[in-house]
Amino acid sequence: MAALTRAAVQASSTPLPVAAPPASSMVVWAAIIGATSALLVSILKDYLFERLKERRVREQSEATVYRQYLAPLSESCEKIVWRSKEIFIDKRHAFLKTSTLPLDFNAYKRISTLYRIATLIGWIRGMNLELRALPRGKTNVATPISKQIAAFQKALADGPHVELHRLTRLSALWGIDLTRLDQTCQAALAMRFEVEAHTATEGKLKSDPDHLRSLPVDKKLEICRRLAAYLAKETGGKAPDDDVVRETVERAVGGLSYREALLYRDWQDALGDAMIERDPDSVRRFRIIGYEKFTRLLETDAPWFAVLSRSIDDIDFDEIDPSDFRSQQLRDLSAAVASILIGIAGTKDASLVDATTLEAAAGLQKAIAEATQTAGA
């Protein structure tokens, strides 16, 4: 009996064997893990890796296009810098006046200056078109000189500072206080005042900068009264006395009679399109048209060429007309072009800019900064 009891105890204390999982279950799990791994590898290979490869190829293509256009773009900047140096450093700017002798030579120099500016616009346009034609191409591709190019385009196109200048000048003339308006409100008022001025002059102000000066005195006074009252109402101030308007009428007309030559952004694209043509003999898709063809384009009715053709005629740097904003535009344009060359000189492509030209660009920037400061004083 005792023996049976001991046997029973030993049997109860012996651990039961663990059953092994069925072979079929292990196969299923192995299959799941294998399939998941294969799927992940496929995703990485077909999607992520391909996207990374595509991005790398695209970036390499963007860099290739940029470098293909950098040399001619740099060369066109050099030509503008040397011509601008004549104007702002050497003070040889008489050729800008259409009545200065010798007429033929000075006419050539003006057209040549315009051709150099238009050539730069063309190279920028050609480069951008090629960059946008790349797979997944962007509207604005960042290059080492993107900011400098943007400054050049801004100098050609932007006019809000001109509007604000006119508003400030006339408000001071009529004793209208603008200080209660912040900068944003002043800029908005400057734009509305521009519209009001064109309405008051029957839309002739922009097409003919001398339109107001040729009007009878009573008509000039009527326009000035209207605009002074408009500004007083818009600023919440008191309208100036009629005696003040009468006494300042000629100075006000001078402030309203202005000259500018804005090449808006889309006009720059249109001008750039006209300046380039297909180039079957180069790695670049485009080349610049010749000088002779350019001179014919200047005579077309396209507004971008009409504005360009008169953009530098009769700018007087001996006695600057405060109502001729083209003088400051030419300064800004020249400084921006100098910045492009200086920007290139700061990259691995510095060899494209020789030391003499770089020195001229730096000197030009300094001279223009000093002239701008003097003009604003």
Side-chain angles (χ1 to χ4, degrees):
M1 186 68 178
L4 290 173
T5 302
R6 285 195 300 272
V9 171
Q10 289 176 355
S12 63
S13 63
T14 301
L16 295 173
V18 178
S24 59
S25 177
M26 294 180 65
V27 171
V28 169
W29 277 108
I32 291 174
I33 293 172
T36 303
S37 299
L39 181 61
L40 289 174
V41 170
S42 178
I43 291 174
L44 289 174
K45 179 180 178 181
D46 297 338
Y47 180 73
L48 182 59
F49 293 161
E50 285 299 320
R51 288 292 297 273
L52 291 174
K53 179 181 178 182
E54 179 184 324
R55 179 179 177 182
R56 185 166 56 251
V57 169
R58 178 168 58 83
E59 289 176 347
Q60 291 173 346
S61 298
E62 289 172 356
T64 299
V65 171
Y66 165 71
R67 290 181 65 83
Q68 287 172 351
Y69 278 87
L70 191 57
L73 190 148
S74 175
E75 183 183 4
S76 62
C77 286
E78 286 185 13
K79 292 180 178 179
I80 296 174
V81 162
W82 288 113
R83 182 58 53 82
S84 297
K85 179 179 178 294
E86 285 187 58
I87 297 172
F88 297 109
I89 296 179
D90 302 336
K91 307 299 182 183
R92 295 170 55 193
H93 40 60
F95 72 89
L96 295 173
K97 298 179 182 179
T98 57
S99 60
T100 303
L101 296 173
L103 295 179
D104 289 344
F105 176 71
N106 287 334
Y108 152 73
K109 291 202 70 172
R110 288 193 302 275
I111 296 174
S112 170
T113 302
L114 298 180
Y115 181 62
R116 295 180 184 194
I117 294 170
T119 293
L120 179 55
I121 294 173
W123 283 127
I124 292 172
R125 179 60 171 168
M127 181 175 69
N128 285 337
L129 286 175
E130 284 215 44
L131 288 170
R132 294 171 191 175
L134 295 174
R136 305 176 67 84
K138 300 177 183 178
T139 301
N140 294 307
V141 177
T143 69
I145 54 171
S146 290
K147 290 183 179 180
Q148 292 88 338
I149 289 176
F152 168 74
Q153 294 172 321
K154 178 181 174 67
L156 289 169
D158 288 0
H161 64 288
V162 176
E163 297 172 357
L164 188 59
H165 176 86
R166 279 194 289 273
L167 173 67
T168 303
R169 183 178 177 184
L170 289 168
S171 296
L173 199 61
W174 292 327
I176 296 173
D177 185 15
L178 293 176
T179 58
R180 68 185 70 189
L181 303 177
D182 60 27
Q183 290 184 343
T184 301
C185 291
Q186 286 188 26
L189 176 56
M191 181 182 65
R192 296 197 302 274
F193 180 72
E194 190 82 358
V195 175
E196 184 69 15
H198 281 278
T199 302
T201 57
E202 300 174 350
K204 298 178 181 178
L205 191 58
K206 196 173 187 68
S207 59
D208 181 6
D210 295 321
H211 170 69
L212 274 179
R213 292 189 174 96
S214 62
L215 293 176
V217 175
D218 58 340
K219 185 62 177 178
K220 294 178 184 176
L221 182 59
E222 177 187 337
I223 291 172
C224 289
R225 283 170 176 161
R226 172 177 172 172
L227 294 178
Y230 175 81
L231 284 182
K233 178 182 177 182
E234 290 294 308
T235 57
K238 180 183 177 183
D241 293 338
D242 196 61
D243 288 343
V244 172
V245 179
R246 284 179 178 276
E247 292 171 2
T248 60
V249 64
E250 292 301 330
R251 281 180 287 168
V253 165
L256 287 167
S257 303
Y258 60 92
R259 299 188 71 177
E260 61 184 5
L262 297 180
L263 277 170
Y264 308 116
R265 302 306 173 99
D266 290 338
W267 283 10
Q268 289 180 43
D269 288 346
L271 196 153
D273 289 336
M275 289 299 299
I276 56 178
E277 59 188 10
R278 291 285 180 171
D279 188 351
D281 304 318
S282 170
V283 292
R284 293 184 294 269
R285 292 173 57 193
F286 302 106
R287 64 188 177 195
I288 297 297
I289 63 172
Y291 183 82
E292 188 272 336
K293 187 174 182 180
F294 171 75
T295 58
R296 285 189 276 115
L297 287 173
L298 278 181
E299 299 174 357
T300 65
D301 295 330
W304 38 93
F305 276 109
V307 169
L308 180 68
S309 67
R310 61 174 183 265
S311 62
I312 60 173
D313 281 357
D314 291 315
I315 297 179
D316 189 351
F317 282 108
D318 290 321
E319 188 175 350
I320 296 177
D321 182 353
S323 297
D324 190 349
F325 295 99
R326 299 174 307 153
S327 57
Q328 185 60 49
Q329 182 185 39
L330 189 56
R331 289 194 196 102
D332 293 341
L333 181 155
S334 299
V337 173
S339 293
I340 293 176
L341 281 182
I342 294 171
I344 294 172
T347 69
K348 61 183 179 181
D349 298 294
S351 60
L352 290 173
V353 186
D354 65 77
T356 305
T357 302
L358 183 60
E359 183 181 356
L364 182 61
Q365 271 194 332
K366 181 180 178 181
I368 289 173
E370 293 173 350
T372 300
Q373 186 176 9
T374 301

